[in-house]
Amino acid sequence: MGIVDKIQEIEKEIARTQKNKATEYHLGLLKAKLARYRQQLLEPTGKSGAKGEGFDVMKSGDARVALIGFPSVGKSTLLNTLTETHSESASYEFTTLTCIPGVIQHNGANIQLLDLPGIIEGASQGKGRGRQVIAVAKTADLVIMMLDAMKGEKQKELLTEELESVGIRLNQRRPNIYYKQKKGGGVSFNSTLPLTKCSEKMVQLILHDCKIFNAEVLFREDCTSDQFVDVLLGTRVYMPCLYVYNKIDQISIEEVDRLARKPHSVVVSCNMKLNLDYLLDVMWKHLALVRVYTKKRGERPDFEGGLILRRGCTVEHVCHAIHRTILDCFRYALVWGQSAKYSPQRVGLQHHMCHDDVIQIIKNHKLFPSTPRRFLPPATHINRGLHSCNYCFFSSDMSDIDPVAVILVTSGTRGDRLHFRYPYETPDIEQISAKAFGRNPYGVKVAEDCQTLKGSVANNITKEGVLVGFSSDIIAHLLGVKSSLCSKKFDLKIDDVRFVGFPILVDSNKQTATGAHQILSFNVVFVLKSSASNSVVACYHDLTKQLSVAIKHEEKRCHFLSSQVKVMISVHDDMATMPEDSIESPFKCILQKSQLARDLKTIYDSLCDTGVVHLHINRWVEISFCLPHKIHIIPSDNRDIRAEPETIQKCLAALRPYHGMLLLVEEQALMESLPYDCTPALIRLIRVASPLRSLQTLALEADLSLSQVFQLVSHLVYWAKATVIYPLCETNVYVISPQANILVNSQLVGAFVKHFPGKSLHAELSEFSFPTHLREAKDILDHPRQQDQKVRMVVWLLQHRLLMQLHTYVFFVPSVPRRKKKISDELLKHTSSGSMPIVPEEDGTENIDRLLNLPRVPSSSDVASVNSDESVNQGPGTTYTHLFSKSPSSEIASDSSLISEDLKAMWTAQDLLAFNISREEREIVLNIPAAKSPEDLRLFGCLYPYFSGKHHLEEIMYYENLHRSQLLMVIDKFREVLVTCTHQDPATTIFDR
């Protein structure tokens, strides 16, 4: 008897067996046999027989959907409508004889749609190529069961039965049953809840019938015997199914409404193209697809093409979808969207993504010796800043800036205690100092020993830079402070060393055991030389404050400090029990076991190496700090020139919108050194940065406010990533900087030749031995490429501080005669005393009339004020005052004559001069021939406040909106009283103050 005959016999026996308590176990065994025979039918184990021809369709796209249905229900028509693939469709059955794939593009996803041949009743037994059709359906992510709306119920039952018989479970969840076959021990059966559909006896009978006698079974939900058989066989496929009722145009609207309300059902009409959009949306929902957009650092998200993943995906799945190697260098991710509690949220690999989320993956970059270190701006209103790319040359004499040691001291219930110091005093030094003096065998101190000891501890810093002369107990008592001194700057100077710290209290909310040590406060202290400047001490105070706040945060979050101190104390205790001849330092063992100790060592090494600190305390709180004294440095002939932080702040205070920004490092290197969560505003500013643009132009190009640009430029200058210049133009004047390193064997010579092959650094610098305009340094007959190269060389020289720009400043220096100067001084005294000055007639009115060459015309305001209390007599000393007692709105004089526009302009110019300069200086200005022009005199009066030597020409042009030619014309016309000189702009003199 074949397998098909056995299946028919079992089906007949099941059909004629009554269902009750007595036949329950018998029916269970029959169903188990039936399932086993059907599996053998689909997957024959014999070697005889040729393999049948299947449907060779490669799986592609983001998901696969299979169309299953009886012949002539509209499968090919639906494929032709939703995709661009053509499948032959006709009114007769079995039009489609093979599998025809198509692609649906929906929500950015490519969904593969398979048009399978129509199946008939008995397809599970191989009729009508049913096996091939069902085999392809098992590989799909979703089954669309096409049904005729007029025969839908009957077709649905038949197709469901055929798919059930071959192990496809539609719209069902995998049973929560744990099954594992063992080698011995019999059958172990357990359940986590009462079972009503299956019993232990039924499970044992099914297992024995399958010749399984040793197994472990655990029911976590109330399942039937059929579901247990599915788990036992392990070949069942659980997939979603969508029932699509076609040809709804041939049934009544009531029937359409009834079919549409069924679960997992959609009603459509392929010929009339009705409800197809809704079908695509429901298909997307059943496929459980989500779309995730990716975002590059500093750029907008890529909304054109997203990643298509399944619902419930995590960040790890996103990494696999992008590239399989991303997980090896994954650090964290930033997520915007529904899955984030706040935007952006920093998440790990197990964070679940939602539909339309945006993700930015941050990778760990391997740091090589040439890789720049990272840094952040010193201010707090910018979330994160930059990394450090140290471009300058460092001096070998940094002893006053580098720290001598870093020390961790805590104060608690058991007193003050030193837990860690680095660099620690090596045992060799301790032994040498001990052997040098020997041991005094007497109880009385010997005078010679005291003298020798006194001389030995005169210097607390060895040649190797190690702090000596202070025991651990002495340092603990010195650096352990009271609670009243916490959260304040700590500064202590002893002999030739200086201790700088920021002690802070610890919240004592943690419950400790009786007698256990409890930390009340701690102090991270840097030891400096006593000769360190106040600016260096202030910088170390800022660093200790950052460290203390970060450690306190981690102590509050996860008791980081307490756990690290416990490790350090245990090491000290273990070392105390070791023999006296052991010379190993406890601090060396602490470095191997304590993360906090390693962090402090990293900070110390970074300060001594580059002056830039960037690390994460407890791999969580980020610390960024830099010493401006080490990164702002210019190598000189005799000694290196450093910039003090106060000088940098003064230069930044002189920053104006007309200034420009020159990057001191390559743009690509600077972009790569940025932190992963850097503000996009800084990235936009760097991308539009150009030495040809002013800060005001950069603000417009980067879509930022001017105040934001000022803050970002200040941070770049502070971290030695940029410098302030005036935008390059042909009228700029440059000269060799007095701090320029022009030695023949300088490293800059080789760097210049590397950037500009065939050029000589000293030859190019010789052109700027005297103040030279940029247009004079370029030859107009040269090729445009050579002219561009000349500009790039000037930019390179400015980047390396070899050139400085000179600006023209104007001073107002009138040549006042001695007699008039003496009279002017007396008039000023009278004016200050409150009396009205009296000027002789010939020195007053007649002189002004002669200069103006105009008849004296009374003002209408004089006529209007004749009878007022404020009117004054026209005495000899005040006859000229009518010329300045005028109303700007007057158009007609008292004699009915019209007042000309030139006269009004002259009045305006005289008003400007009257409020700004003295009478004697005003007369000297009016004596200049150019003062006869009302326009020139008015322009001079407007520009007079700038002629104090504090404003250069470019600043005057910016504030008064003038062209350089206009300004130079005024200076030339009034050259009798104006003097010019050239020097640097205060905003660009970081190293020249």
Side-chain angles (χ1 to χ4, degrees):
M1 182 181 296
I3 296 178
V4 177
D5 298 333
K6 291 181 180 179
I7 291 175
Q8 294 177 355
E9 289 294 332
I10 293 175
E11 288 177 347
K12 292 178 181 179
E13 186 173 356
I14 292 175
R16 63 174 176 261
T17 303
Q18 297 181 357
K19 296 181 181 180
N20 50 44
K21 285 286 185 179
T23 60
E24 179 181 358
Y25 301 106
H26 179 63
L27 290 175
L29 293 176
L30 291 178
K31 292 180 180 179
K33 289 181 180 181
L34 181 61
R36 191 169 65 253
Y37 288 146
R38 284 177 174 173
Q39 183 180 1
Q40 294 178 5
L41 182 64
L42 292 175
E43 301 175 2
T45 58
K47 298 183 180 179
S48 61
K51 294 183 178 180
E53 182 182 357
F55 301 136
D56 188 10
V57 179
M58 183 177 65
K59 190 173 184 179
S60 62
D62 301 303
R64 170 179 279 194
V65 178
L67 291 175
I68 292 180
F70 285 98
S72 298
V73 293
K75 299 186 298 298
S76 300
T77 306
L78 181 64
L79 179 72
N80 297 335
T81 306
L82 298 180
T83 67
E84 298 180 356
T85 305
H86 176 70
S87 178
E88 184 179 355
S89 59
S91 58
Y92 54 87
E93 296 182 353
F94 297 106
T95 307
T96 303
L97 301 178
T98 185
C99 178
I100 300 177
V103 178
I104 301 175
Q105 295 181 353
H106 182 65
N107 287 341
N110 294 326
I111 303 173
Q112 187 182 38
L113 185 63
L114 301 180
D115 181 16
L116 297 174
I119 61 178
I120 59 176
E121 189 176 355
S124 59
Q125 300 178 5
K127 295 182 179 180
R129 305 189 69 180
R131 290 182 180 178
Q132 291 87 337
V133 173
I134 294 173
V136 174
K138 282 187 175 183
T139 63
D141 301 309
L142 173 66
V143 172
I144 291 183
M145 189 179 293
M146 290 292 295
L147 303 172
D148 192 338
M150 295 180 294
K151 310 174 184 177
E153 297 301 329
K154 184 177 180 181
Q155 291 182 354
K156 180 180 178 181
E157 293 178 1
L158 294 175
L159 289 175
T160 303
E161 183 180 355
E162 292 293 333
L163 296 178
E164 288 277 351
S165 61
V166 295
I168 298 179
R169 303 293 181 257
L170 302 178
N171 296 326
Q172 294 183 21
R173 184 172 51 86
R174 187 181 301 274
N176 193 0
I177 300 176
Y178 173 75
Y179 165 76
K180 182 179 180 182
Q181 193 170 357
K182 302 186 300 184
K183 295 183 179 180
V187 176
S188 175
F189 178 85
N190 291 291
S191 63
T192 59
L193 73 168
L195 301 180
T196 60
K197 302 177 182 178
C198 187
S199 63
E200 181 180 358
K201 183 179 179 181
M202 175 66 71
V203 172
Q204 291 180 353
L205 290 175
I206 295 175
L207 291 175
H208 289 173
D209 185 71
C210 297
K211 297 181 181 181
I212 299 175
F213 305 101
N214 300 288
E216 184 179 355
V217 181
L218 175 63
F219 275 66
R220 295 192 178 97
E221 63 179 353
D222 193 8
C223 300
T224 62
S225 59
D226 294 338
Q227 292 175 322
F228 175 69
V229 171
D230 293 342
V231 174
L232 187 63
L233 295 176
T235 58
R236 300 299 185 248
V237 179
Y238 299 86
M239 63 175 56
C241 178
L242 188 60
Y243 304 104
V244 178
Y245 294 89
N246 191 20
K247 305 178 183 180
I248 60 173
D249 53 326
Q250 300 179 8
I251 58 177
S252 61
I253 190 64
E254 292 81 5
E255 184 66 15
V256 173
D257 182 70
R258 185 184 69 83
L259 295 176
R261 294 181 182 276
K262 290 187 175 184
H264 310 290
S265 300
V266 179
V267 291
V268 298
S269 176
C270 296
N271 288 330
M272 301 184 67
K273 299 182 181 179
L274 298 177
N275 210 26
L276 296 180
D277 294 337
Y278 179 70
L279 172 62
L280 294 177
D281 294 337
V282 176
M283 186 189 306
W284 177 277
K285 181 179 179 181
H286 278 68
L287 286 171
L289 297 178
V290 295
R291 179 178 52 199
V292 177
Y293 299 105
T294 57
K295 176 184 178 298
K296 292 183 179 180
R297 184 177 58 193
E299 298 182 2
R300 294 181 178 273
D302 183 14
F303 291 113
E304 296 296 331
L307 299 176
I308 305 300
L309 304 169
R310 295 305 174 93
R311 189 183 302 131
C313 63
T314 61
V315 176
E316 184 176 1
H317 296 96
V318 176
C319 295
H320 280 294
I322 297 175
H323 199 274
R324 58 184 177 85
T325 60
I326 290 184
L327 283 178
D328 299 334
C329 55
F330 178 85
R331 183 179 180 189
Y332 63 89
L334 299 177
V335 176
W336 295 259
Q338 298 179 359
S339 65
K341 297 180 181 178
Y342 49 87
S343 296
Q345 182 182 355
R346 179 172 171 172
V347 299
L349 288 174
Q350 302 306 319
H351 177 77
H352 289 273
M353 306 295 295
C354 293
H355 185 56
D356 287 341
D357 278 357
V358 178
I359 184 173
Q360 177 183 346
I361 296 177
I362 309 302
K363 299 186 295 183
N364 279 323
H365 294 284
K366 297 181 179 179
L367 296 179
F368 297 96
S370 60
T371 303
R373 296 177 179 265
R374 301 188 298 173
F375 71 94
L376 286 179
T380 57
H381 49 265
I382 300 296
N383 290 335
R384 280 174 173 78
L386 310 169
H387 300 180
S388 176
C389 303
N390 301 308
Y391 67 93
C392 53
F393 302 93
F394 295 104
S395 171
S396 59
D397 184 14
M398 290 284 183
S399 57
D400 294 344
I401 302 175
D402 295 340
V404 178
V406 58
I407 300 173
L408 174 63
V409 175
T410 62
S411 299
T413 55
R414 292 187 179 180
D416 303 328
R417 188 162 183 174
L418 185 147
H419 297 286
F420 180 74
R421 59 186 288 185
Y422 184 85
Y424 44 83
E425 188 175 355
T426 60
D428 296 338
I429 298 176
E430 298 176 358
Q431 286 185 349
I432 292 172
S433 61
K435 291 180 180 179
F437 309 115
R439 182 178 179 182
N440 186 6
Y442 305 100
V444 181
K445 292 184 179 180
V446 183
E448 289 80 6
D449 293 342
C450 294
Q451 293 295 331
T452 307
L453 182 62
K454 182 178 179 180
S456 64
V457 296
N459 189 5
N460 300 116
I461 302 176
T462 64
K463 294 182 179 179
E464 293 79 11
V466 181
L467 179 66
V468 295
F470 296 96
S471 65
S472 297
D473 294 337
I474 293 177
I475 295 178
H477 289 301
L478 289 174
L479 305 184
V481 300
K482 297 181 180 179
S483 59
S484 59
L485 298 179
C486 291
S487 300
K488 298 179 181 178
K489 294 181 178 180
F490 179 86
D491 193 355
L492 177 63
K493 182 185 290 187
I494 301 176
D495 294 336
D496 56 344
V497 295
R498 191 170 186 173
F499 300 91
V500 178
F502 191 86
I504 196 168
L505 289 173
V506 178
D507 298 334
S508 57
N509 297 327
K510 180 182 177 182
Q511 298 295 333
T512 58
T514 305
H517 176 67
Q518 183 178 0
I519 301 175
L520 302 179
S521 65
F522 68 94
N523 194 5
V524 178
V525 180
F526 284 95
V527 184
L528 307 176
K529 286 189 175 181
S530 58
S531 58
S533 63
N534 293 331
S535 61
V536 174
V537 174
C539 291
Y540 277 98
H541 272 137
D542 294 339
L543 176 58
T544 54
K545 185 176 181 180
Q546 288 189 46
L547 285 173
S548 300
V549 173
I551 294 173
K552 181 180 178 180
H553 176 273
E554 288 302 286
E555 172 67 15
K556 186 177 181 180
R557 185 179 70 90
C558 60
H559 306 296
F560 173 67
L561 178 63
S562 300
S563 60
Q564 296 298 308
V565 168
K566 186 180 297 184
V567 172
M568 296 177 187
I569 292 176
S570 64
V571 173
H572 282 288
D573 294 342
D574 294 341
M575 297 299 295
T577 59
M578 295 181 67
E580 295 182 358
D581 56 353
S582 176
I583 62 173
E584 187 176 7
S585 174
F587 303 115
K588 184 177 181 181
C589 300
I590 289 175
L591 278 176
Q592 301 174 0
K593 298 183 179 181
S594 173
Q595 178 64 38
L596 179 58
R598 290 192 294 269
D599 291 342
L600 294 178
K601 178 182 179 298
T602 302
I603 293 173
Y604 175 86
D605 294 338
S606 300
L607 290 173
C608 295
D609 182 20
T610 61
V612 177
V613 176
H614 184 84
L615 82 162
H616 291 76
I617 296 295
N618 195 23
R619 301 178 181 177
W620 189 262
V621 180
E622 194 168 19
I623 297 295
S624 286
F625 172 80
C626 80
L627 280 173
H629 313 76
K630 298 198 71 169
I631 62 175
H632 290 275
I633 185 171
I634 296 180
S636 183
D637 298 346
N638 300 327
R639 61 183 183 87
D640 293 343
I641 302 174
R642 306 189 191 100
E644 296 290 334
E646 295 81 1
T647 306
I648 300 174
Q649 295 299 334
K650 290 180 181 179
C651 294
L652 296 179
L655 200 61
R656 297 294 182 267
Y658 55 80
H659 283 128
M661 180 183 68
L662 175 63
L663 296 178
L664 300 179
V665 294
E666 295 295 334
E667 178 183 347
Q668 184 63 27
L670 184 58
M671 294 292 291
E672 292 177 356
S673 65
L674 293 176
Y676 303 110
D677 50 352
C678 173
T679 170
L682 181 59
I683 297 176
R684 295 202 302 269
L685 178 64
I686 295 174
R687 287 181 174 174
V688 301
S690 172
L692 305 177
R693 298 174 179 173
S694 64
L695 299 184
Q696 189 174 16
T697 306
L698 293 180
L700 296 175
E701 293 289 338
D703 193 18
L704 301 172
S705 63
L706 197 57
S707 61
Q708 287 179 294
V709 173
F710 273 32
Q711 293 172 3
L712 295 175
V713 171
S714 300
H715 288 305
L716 289 169
V717 173
Y718 186 87
W719 286 90
K721 302 295 111 184
T723 186
V724 179
I725 62 170
Y726 186 79
L728 266 67
C729 60
E730 293 185 347
T731 57
N732 288 2
V733 179
Y734 298 102
V735 70
I736 297 178
S737 174
Q739 290 80 22
N741 186 3
I742 56 177
L743 296 177
V744 179
N745 58 350
S746 172
Q747 298 182 15
L748 295 177
V749 176
F752 183 82
V753 175
K754 183 178 179 180
H755 281 79
F756 307 100
K759 298 292 182 179
S760 173
L761 175 62
H762 294 86
E764 298 299 332
L765 286 176
S766 64
E767 299 182 7
F768 299 96
S769 299
F770 295 96
T772 306
H773 287 84
L774 185 59
R775 62 168 173 261
E776 298 176 0
K778 297 191 305 181
D779 190 353
I780 60 176
L781 299 179
D782 290 340
H783 192 273
R785 291 185 178 179
Q786 296 180 353
Q787 297 183 11
D788 294 342
Q789 186 185 34
K790 190 71 176 181
V791 174
R792 285 188 281 108
M793 285 191 291
V794 172
V795 171
W796 191 92
L797 296 176
L798 290 173
Q799 288 176 336
H800 292 81
R801 316 283 187 178
L802 298 177
L803 292 182
M804 68 177 184
Q805 182 179 358
L806 299 179
H807 296 267
T808 302
Y809 293 81
V810 185
F811 292 85
F812 178 71
V813 185
S815 57
V816 182
R818 293 183 179 178
R819 184 180 64 84
K820 291 188 176 183
K821 180 172 177 59
K822 183 177 181 181
I823 296 175
S824 178
D825 296 339
E826 293 178 356
L827 291 176
L828 290 175
K829 293 181 180 178
H830 287 293
T831 304
S832 61
S833 62
S835 59
M836 187 69 182
I838 305 298
V839 181
E841 179 74 19
E842 63 273 12
D843 292 338
T845 310
E846 292 180 359
N847 189 28
I848 296 178
D849 292 342
R850 180 178 57 81
L851 291 174
L852 298 179
N853 197 20
L854 292 172
R856 292 199 302 168
V857 179
S859 174
S860 59
S861 61
D862 296 334
V863 179
S865 61
V866 169
N867 298 324
S868 65
D869 296 336
E870 297 177 353
S871 61
V872 295
N873 295 328
Q874 299 291 333
T878 58
T879 55
Y880 71 96
T881 58
H882 70 277
L883 193 60
F884 301 101
S885 301
K886 54 192 175 298
S887 173
S889 61
S890 300
E891 300 292 342
I892 301 176
S894 59
D895 58 354
S896 301
S897 61
L898 294 175
I899 300 175
S900 64
E901 294 296 332
D902 292 342
L903 182 59
K904 291 197 294 180
M906 185 70 69
W907 285 348
T908 303
Q910 292 178 2
D911 282 343
L912 292 173
L913 293 175
F915 290 106
N916 293 328
I917 63 177
S918 64
R919 185 180 300 112
E920 298 294 337
E921 294 173 343
R922 184 169 64 249
E923 291 183 3
I924 294 175
V925 172
L926 294 177
N927 280 323
I928 299 175
K932 296 181 180 180
S933 173
E935 184 63 27
D936 293 341
L937 187 60
R938 183 194 64 79
L939 186 57
F940 179 85
C942 293
L943 299 180
Y944 173 78
Y946 299 101
F947 297 154
S948 59
K950 299 179 180 180
H951 309 275
H952 52 74
L953 299 186
E954 288 77 12
E955 184 175 4
I956 300 174
M957 292 162 52
Y958 173 79
Y959 284 119
E960 295 299 330
N961 195 19
L962 295 175
H963 292 287
R964 185 179 294 271
S965 59
Q966 294 177 285
L967 184 56
L968 294 177
M969 179 189 66
V970 172
I971 296 175
D972 182 66
K973 289 182 178 180
F974 292 89
R975 61 181 176 274
E976 297 180 11
V977 294
L978 298 180
V979 177
T980 60
C981 69
T982 58
H983 59 83
Q984 278 190 282
D985 190 336
T988 63
T989 56
I990 294 180
F991 295 96
D992 304 304
R993 288 182 180 268

